[in-house]
Structure formats: C-alpha cells, structure tokens
Amino acid sequence: MTPQSAGWKTRSSIPAEAGIGLRFQHHQAVLDTRPEVAWLEVHTENYMGGGTPLRYLDAIRRDYPISLHGIGLSLGSAEGIDLSHLERIRRVIERFEPGLVSEHLSWSIVANTYLGDLLPLPMTDEAMDVVCRHVDQTQAFLQRRILIENPSTYLRFAHSTIPEWEFLAAVAQRTGCSILCDVNNIFVSACNHGWDASAYLAALPAPAIGEIHLAGHAVRQLDNGKVLRIDDHASRVPAPVWALYVEALARFGPVSTLIEWDTDIPPLEVLLAEATQAAIHLERIEKRQVHAVGEAHAVAA
C-alpha cells in the first residue's frame, strides 16, 4: 500500500524555498525579530516533553511553516520500532501540524538501549526488508508519508551487497516514502569511501526528493595520512557542497532546502545568511526552468 492509495497526508505545506534549523538558542531571537525565512525545522525529540520549548514553538508556529526531523526512531533496528516513541512522535505532529516529517536511514537502539548516535546499516537485502517494514509501519501509524535521510558514514560493512544510493531508492520505491537528500552527507561519504558524489545524485529518483539538507563538516588528518570528513554541523556550508547542491537542483528542480547547524551554534544572522545563499541558487534554477518552458512553447508554436 502506498501513501497515496491509503489516503494519507502526502502534500507538504513547506515551500520549495530556503529554511533554517531552529535550535533552542534562537527561540527568543526568532520571536523578537521575525526574520524573513521561508520555514523552520526542529528535532522532533526536543518537543516531546513539556515546558518552555513547547510554548516557544507554539508561538513560532503561528508565523512560520514547521517541519519535524527525528533522530530517535531507529528504523534500521532489527528488534523493531519502539511503539511508545512512535506515539510520542504522533503527539508532536498533532500539536504542531508540520509540513514534513523525516527520519534517518540508520539504527540507534539495541536491547532497549539508546546508543546516542545514528549508526550505519549493512546495505543488504535483509536490512532493506527491516527498514521497509519499519517505514511502512511508521507511515501507517502516523497516517502520512515520511522522508528518509541518507546518512553520513565513516566505514562500510564488508558484506554489504547494495550501493547506498540504490538501497535508498529501493526503500522509496517499495514504501512510497520520500527522500530527504542530505547533500553534505553525500559529499562527506563520497570523500570518505571514494564514491562519485555526482553519480550518487544521478541515481536518486527525482520525483521522490522531498527536501534537501545543507551543512558544514570537519576535516581530520589521520595518523596514516588519510583524510576523514566528519558531518558535525558546526560550520558554514563549504564551497564543494554548494557546488554539489547546484548539481542537485539541476537534477531535481527547486526543492525545500534546509541549513543545518547543531554544534558551536552561531548568531541567528549567520544561519540566515546561509539560507540567503541557498535562496539565490533556488531562484536561479527556477528562472532556468521558466526560460526552458518559454522556449519549448515558442518551438511548439
């Protein structure tokens, strides 16, 4: 059963424009300044309790479209989905009515213990069955389509048999979920594993892309002379990631784009400046599309 055939929520209220990740440090600044940003994304788990964070988001939600980005569902855990956590997600969705709801292609729970990280999966048929079963279960429970984000990885399993990009595309095809294309994660993983980042993008199904993430990453020189890139969300988007983003837009068209910044969080103005840069690229691709349509109509006439 697909989200469309089931009659679930599949359309997004998030515009194909640039947004920023909203963190606690910027709650008051957003309320005070009402910045000109198209939308905001929050981590779902940060709003499962009570108190001040919920009151802030209630107020902010009145002025901005909101998306929810989860980090704790552990779609790849062989032990199954934590139904109590899924119910907490449902309650957050009910309260804040997000335009998009997303999670990660990863696992983070074993023996009822949360490991505090987004761990990589072996790319196998067995792992795909687990992920698809859990995506189906999540979408049926929430009565809506979700997005799945490609991971950043630093090792590969020797017994993996499916390229990551094919794995992600197959999950989307089998479950009807959308893909959250994290361009920085693609760049980081491609550098760490010797992949072709452009080929990764080209292998993803354009109609399934529902959101793009952009962020900065750290570069570490290892003792063996190799370079490791780490997805730490602690800096501006670097030039090679911007270049890959331009490739993504050329392939997928204008897509809702988020600037992520989760550690060493700067003033709000820095995130807004990064979002402005993304907005410039989005505007350029929109103009190209309009121009291409105009030319096609002229030829047809």
Side-chain angles (χ1 to χ4, degrees), residues 182-189 191 212-220 228-247 257-261 270 273-275 277-278 281:
D182 191 311
V183 173
N184 183 63
N185 284 358
I186 291 176
F187 182 80
V188 165
S189 296
C191 290
I212 288 175
H213 275 185
L214 297 172
H217 61 266
V219 180
R220 297 286 185 267
L228 182 71
R229 295 178 186 269
I230 302 171
D231 177 44
D232 64 354
H233 298 181
S235 58
R236 293 179 182 271
V237 179
V241 175
W242 281 122
L244 193 61
Y245 175 57
V246 171
E247 285 189 41
T257 299
L258 185 88
I259 301 297
E260 289 190 292
W261 205 312
V270 175
E274 293 287 274
Q277 184 65 30
H281 291 299

Side-chain angles (χ1 to χ4, degrees), residues 4-194:
Q4 295 95 326
S5 65
W8 302 336
K9 180 178 174 60
T10 58
R11 300 191 66 179
S12 169
S13 61
I14 302 298
E17 300 177 36
I20 62 172
L22 176 65
R23 302 298 173 255
F24 290 164
Q25 293 92 327
H26 295 147
H27 278 164
Q28 192 62 52
V30 168
L31 286 176
D32 290 343
T33 65
R34 296 295 196 274
E36 292 187 14
V37 65
W39 59 286
L40 303 167
E41 184 165 277
V42 300
H43 286 157
T44 313
E45 285 76 9
N46 286 343
Y47 298 88
M48 289 181 172
T52 302
L54 273 68
R55 291 194 293 273
Y56 269 117
L57 195 57
D58 280 333
I60 291 168
R61 175 67 181 84
R62 290 194 284 269
D63 295 321
Y64 297 94
I66 296 291
S67 69
L68 295 179
H69 188 47
I71 58 174
L73 194 52
S74 194
L75 291 170
S77 289
E79 298 171 1
I81 292 285
D82 180 347
L83 294 181
S84 61
H85 189 77
L86 197 54
E87 170 58 23
R88 289 191 289 271
I89 293 173
R90 188 197 64 77
R91 290 199 296 266
V92 177
I93 291 172
E94 185 177 66
R95 177 165 184 161
F96 296 111
E97 300 179 328
L100 294 172
V101 176
S102 57
E103 252 291 350
H104 294 80
L105 182 65
S106 64
W107 65 281
S108 53
I109 297 174
V110 63
N112 295 318
T113 300
Y114 180 64
L115 302 176
D117 210 339
L118 300 169
L119 300 173
L121 290 167
M123 299 286 107
T124 63
D125 289 328
E126 294 82 359
M128 186 181 297
D129 288 342
V130 168
V131 171
C132 287
R133 182 167 64 251
H134 292 161
V135 171
D136 283 338
Q137 182 181 3
T138 298
Q139 293 186 141
F141 188 90
L142 299 178
Q143 292 288 289
R144 66 183 296 149
R145 172 188 282 154
I146 65 170
L147 297 88
I148 304 302
E149 179 184 339
N150 55 289
S152 58
T153 56
Y154 313 100
L155 57 82
R156 288 178 290 173
F157 291 94
H159 57 286
S160 289
T161 58
I162 306 171
E164 182 178 293
W165 44 93
E166 292 183 10
F167 191 105
L168 190 62
V171 170
Q173 194 278 326
R174 284 176 54 175
T175 67
C177 76
S178 295
I179 294 172
L180 195 173
C181 177
D182 191 311
V183 173
N184 183 63
N185 284 358
I186 291 176
F187 182 80
V188 165
S189 296
C191 290
N192 288 340
H193 304 313

